[in-house]
Amino acid sequence: MDAQAWEKVDELIDKNQTKTIKDLFAEDPKRAERFSLEAAGWFLDYSKNRIDAATMKALVKLAEKANLKAEIEKMFTGKKINATEGRAVLHTALRNLDPKAKIKVDGKDVMPGVRKVLAQMGDFADTVRRGQWKGWTGKRIKYVVNIGIGGSDLGPVMANIALTPYAKRSLKFFFVSNVDSTHLAETLREVKADQTLFIVASKTFTTQETMSNAEAAKAWLVKELKDKKAVAKHFVAVSTAAKEVADFGIDTKNMFGFWDWVGGRYSLPSAIGLSLMIAIGRTNYKKLLRGYYKMDRHFRTARFERNMPVILALLGILYHNGYGAESYCVLPYDQYLSRFPAYLQQMDMESNGKCVTKDGEKVTYTTGPIEWGEPGTNGQHSFYQLIHQGTHLIPCDFIGCARTHNPIGDLHDKLMANLFAQTEALAFGKTAEECRKEGVDEKLVPFKTFEGNKPTNTLLTDELTPETLGALVALYEHKVFVQGVIWNVYSYDQWGVQLGKVLAKGVLSDLVAKKPSGRHDASTNQLIARYRRAVGR
Ligand code: F6P
């Protein structure tokens, strides 16, 4: 992070220390308008933040000093910005709907491949949706089980729930991710083998959880249908690893490929979205891509002062690095977005949870905020108390849709009233004086006082549709990108998850060995011994 540019931001934080969000609104009647903008079907009101024009200008300077414009271009044009893995980062190519687009990696245009896989997915989704894809006994598919984890699960799950109103309801979708056998067992209780399609979704096709669940599902299917050949009719794969797919027993004709330049947590618009395309159909899927594409173009072309992902990223940095806010909260006021915070957790925390700069030096500032959240209004009756009156500063993004897919009485008005009221309460709070005016007993005044001055962003769209969902996902993807550029970290590798994977193999061999090796630390050895005793080994 550029030290000089940051110093300026810091100075302004100090200077404005005494001004609250309430003061800032009182000073400028045009503030709401000034700090709002529209892009790709989303309206962002970021006026309820601890900012003024000078702070925003200093933050934009920070982005400029990080060469953000050039970095954006590097990503969109396929430069190998994931340097520790020697890969390009081209999820934007997956939704580039310009028929003339050419994007080269290692001298080869990737776009024909992108379009080919999309068409292959569309054809396959059609045959399943129309009942033309028959299982081993000749029956049509009724159940689709996606087996994957991390980026090969969270995106499809989140979007499948989000786009329920667009889904073919005669098909039932399940997502198995955890290596906890309960996840698979409970799913298999819900489906019938001769009507089930398993999608094994794994970029590498080596991930322990996915491959173990896929093998177990295969064994179950063969047992149920009493023929190994049934596998070809009930298993397809989404992967970059053709050999591993063939070794598993899946016909590579039924493999939907993608490329090493698609990171797992950015892979929803790749073939990883196959289960979603089966659910909502190819036309709606294309609309999802259109939403992504609109936000991509906005991000690539808008000046930073009017660029939604850039603004969200800069505000995040302001609170994280300037005010010491360790986490931020994403609060969708839409039940269909119930898994959106979980999806964002991987996107953000696996990307920017890094402590080494691109030069291999330890960072001298904090990076990668902790992201969490729940749908409103549920969260209001759980953790909002701490956001309102606790000692931590937790900036929040509120997300709402003006129209509901399920109007019942005035429920939706109530939902949205709660959203707006929360941002109002967080920003403006309630003074001791106001409490007294309301006749609050003096003894209770300290408890009923709300400090306010809590920053929020509000994102509104007319309706949650495939297009607005695509734009929303792209908005956060680019926000995370911008923050990674400013923090000067590699956002597209994830070496931190490797060590646990490697150690788990060693522990597993000790759990099942005749005699454990005893080569771990005393605590781990003790836990292994206790487990072995409990299971009778
Ligand atoms: O958790 C690490 C990770 O590599 C994620 O980045 C990825 O989304 C997930 O595992 C699953 O990987 P794969 O798709 O290769 O099974």
Side-chain angles (χ1 to χ4, degrees), residues 148-152 201-207 210 258 263-265 272 346 350 494 497-498 501:
I149 197 163
S152 302
S202 175
K203 180 174 165 178
T204 54
F205 231 68
T206 55
T207 303
T210 302
F258 60 115
R265 50 196 176 272
I272 288 291
Q346 187 202 13
E350 204 169 71
Q494 55 286 316
V497 287
Q498 297 307 324
K501 286 187 191 174

Side-chain angles (χ1 to χ4, degrees), residues 29-132:
K30 286 232 149 87
R31 182 178 172 82
E33 225 175 284
R34 203 182 303 284
F35 295 118
S36 294
L37 81 155
E38 302 259 2
W42 285 90
F43 175 74
L44 168 68
D45 179 338
Y46 62 103
S47 60
K48 292 186 182 103
N49 275 292
R50 299 178 182 179
I51 50 160
D52 57 13
T55 316
M56 285 315 290
K57 205 166 155 207
L59 284 167
V60 165
K61 192 90 199 148
L62 189 67
E64 284 165 359
K65 283 282 181 186
N67 288 325
L68 180 59
K69 191 83 199 148
E71 292 297 321
I72 294 173
E73 280 314 295
K74 279 191 205 164
M75 174 171 72
F76 275 88
T77 54
K79 301 288 171 301
K80 296 199 173 171
I81 60 170
N82 175 1
T84 64
E85 294 182 319
R87 293 175 182 167
V89 174
L90 264 182
H91 41 275
T92 50
L94 301 167
R95 59 267 188 145
N96 188 325
L97 297 181
D98 174 359
K100 290 197 241 98
K102 280 191 173 48
I103 302 165
K104 288 191 179 162
V105 174
D106 294 328
K108 197 174 161 237
D109 182 12
V110 301
M111 290 311 296
V114 168
R115 294 184 195 113
K116 193 169 159 214
V117 173
L118 207 54
Q120 185 199 3
M121 288 166 67
D123 293 344
F124 180 74
D126 282 348
T127 60
V128 175
R129 287 166 63 84
R130 292 178 189 146
Q132 291 160 341

